[in-house]
Amino acid sequence: MRVIPAADIADVLTFPELIETLRGAFRQGVVTPVRHHHSIHFPDQAEATLLLMPSWNDFDQQGHSERGYVGVKIVTVFPDNASRGKAAVAGVYLLFSGKSGEPLAVIDGSALTVWRTAAASALAASYLARPDAKRLLMVGAGALAPYLIEAHAAVRPIEEVLIWNRRPEKAERLAERLRPRRYRPHFTEDLEGAVRGADIVSCATLSNHPIVKGEWLKPGAHLDLVGGFRPEMRETDDDAIRRARVFVDTREGAMKEAGDIAQPLESGVLTADDITADLFELTRGEKAGRRFYDQITLFKSVGTALEDLAAAILVFSRA
């Protein structure tokens, strides 16, 4: 059994290849049981979360499969880790042979997650963001932020990146770390002004309250919501839902787990029929993405074990 650390993942992955790998995985599909979602309560800190995300290739009656893998990601989310100078999300990925069940690899789950999550957002943006999108706003400066920036820049001609964070010094540090790049990174404290000028707004926060207001979105903007993975979490408001053509990574996951979708569904601001498409339908050409230049699009991601399995197989084959 091989152990594949974060450094090896960075050595073998590129966003163009990973994005295309995910495109193929969504077209083909795999078995993804409902993930286990457990809350861990503490008397002296914020509630933590344990996630178990299994997935495997589907087999026909003869037991044949193109790749034959089984995988499960085990993740913890400790929101208070930011105050300790540690990442809020940690985990490992276990990859097994789909033929024999033998363990093949233990892969750094945190690194795999940021790569596949960013690639999924960029995959969606390849259908939803305007082809001439040049200005990207990154809301949040955590571990996922630099990966989202690089992933979006892999599918659109990004020339300028603004970074906003509740703690401006953290956004400033990230902007400095991203220099030099083919795009110009800067930090900003003017969130409203940055949203109004952005072609793509990508959010990766753990906020329980809307940060980005729908009224700020300019015609033609694409809003990428990544951070909220529980029903009480929210990164944007109802105005954004009303103004946008809404897309998700998976319907079941987003409607049940994502507050940016579940809350508007509960209040009646959004209906299930208002969700235009998921990534299965977009990649298979069953539903259209952006329909006209000035349309506002919104993509909500909560993550799916399909993305983990596809990324893990790619890493295992390259590392």
Side-chain angles (χ1 to χ4, degrees):
M1 183 174 64
R2 293 158 58 188
V3 176
I4 304 176
D8 288 2
I9 295 174
D11 284 342
V12 300
L13 286 187
T14 67
F15 275 115
E17 184 177 24
L18 181 55
I19 291 164
E20 291 311 310
T21 296
L22 293 190
R23 197 187 310 273
F26 274 102
R27 285 173 177 165
Q28 181 180 358
V30 298
V31 179
T32 54
V34 176
R35 64 185 178 186
H36 298 254
H37 188 289
H38 303 281
S39 297
I40 305 172
H41 302 280
F42 298 95
D44 58 348
Q45 68 180 64
E47 181 179 281
T49 304
L50 174 66
L51 297 172
L52 306 177
M53 302 175 65
S55 184
W56 57 86
N57 299 112
D58 202 3
F59 296 89
D60 61 24
Q61 292 183 348
Q62 287 73 45
H64 298 306
S65 173
E66 280 190 19
R67 293 170 291 185
Y69 292 96
V70 176
V72 60
K73 187 170 73 174
I74 305 173
V75 175
T76 59
V77 183
F78 278 63
D80 284 357
N81 274 1
S83 63
R84 305 182 182 105
K86 297 182 178 182
V89 181
V92 295
Y93 194 87
L94 306 178
L95 186 66
F96 302 85
S97 166
K99 298 294 185 182
S100 66
E102 296 172 291
L104 301 174
V106 177
I107 304 172
D108 186 301
S110 299
L112 191 75
T113 298
V114 292
W115 274 93
R116 67 81 156 155
T117 302
S121 281
L123 174 61
S126 73
Y127 297 98
L128 305 179
R130 285 191 333 214
D132 63 348
K134 297 179 180 180
R135 301 188 70 187
L136 169 67
L137 169 63
M138 185 68 239
V139 179
L144 186 54
Y147 293 88
L148 282 164
I149 293 169
E150 285 294 312
H152 282 296
V155 297
R156 288 297 182 263
I158 302 299
E159 295 179 356
E160 183 178 1
V161 174
L162 289 178
I163 304 167
W164 179 92
N165 194 70
R166 291 189 187 277
R167 294 166 53 197
E169 67 275 11
K170 194 172 180 180
E172 184 176 15
R173 285 198 300 269
L174 178 56
E176 289 294 332
R177 182 154 63 92
L178 291 175
R179 298 190 181 101
R181 290 291 197 277
R182 61 191 179 280
Y183 48 78
R184 300 183 301 276
H186 303 280
F187 82 98
T188 181
E189 296 184 52
D190 180 10
L191 178 59
E192 178 179 347
V195 173
R196 290 187 182 277
D199 300 315
I200 300 174
V201 179
S202 185
C203 299
T205 73
L206 296 176
S207 177
N208 284 339
H209 306 286
I211 300 173
V212 173
K213 295 184 179 181
E215 66 177 287
W216 297 344
L217 296 168
K218 72 177 185 178
H222 172 57
L223 179 58
D224 172 43
L225 302 176
V226 182
F229 63 94
R230 295 172 60 168
E232 69 271 18
M233 301 174 80
R234 198 84 189 263
E235 293 187 296
T236 195
D237 61 8
D238 287 346
D239 282 343
I241 298 295
R242 293 187 184 99
R243 296 187 66 198
R245 186 172 166 89
V246 177
F247 300 82
V248 296
D249 53 355
T250 66
R251 290 179 184 271
E252 181 179 8
M255 292 172 65
K256 179 181 178 182
E257 299 180 23
D260 283 294
I261 300 298
Q263 290 183 33
L265 283 172
E266 185 177 359
S267 67
V269 170
L270 182 73
T271 69
D273 291 339
D274 292 328
I275 300 174
T276 303
D278 59 22
L279 283 179
F280 295 101
E281 295 164 318
L282 285 175
T283 57
R284 295 168 184 174
E286 297 170 356
K287 297 286 182 67
R290 173 174 291 274
R291 298 177 64 183
F292 53 88
Y293 189 79
D294 285 343
Q295 188 170 57
I296 294 173
T297 54
L298 183 155
F299 173 69
K300 177 57 198 152
S301 166
V302 291
T304 168
L306 175 152
E307 299 162 1
D308 296 304
L309 181 63
I313 294 169
L314 180 60
V315 168
F316 180 71
S317 68
R318 296 281 192 271

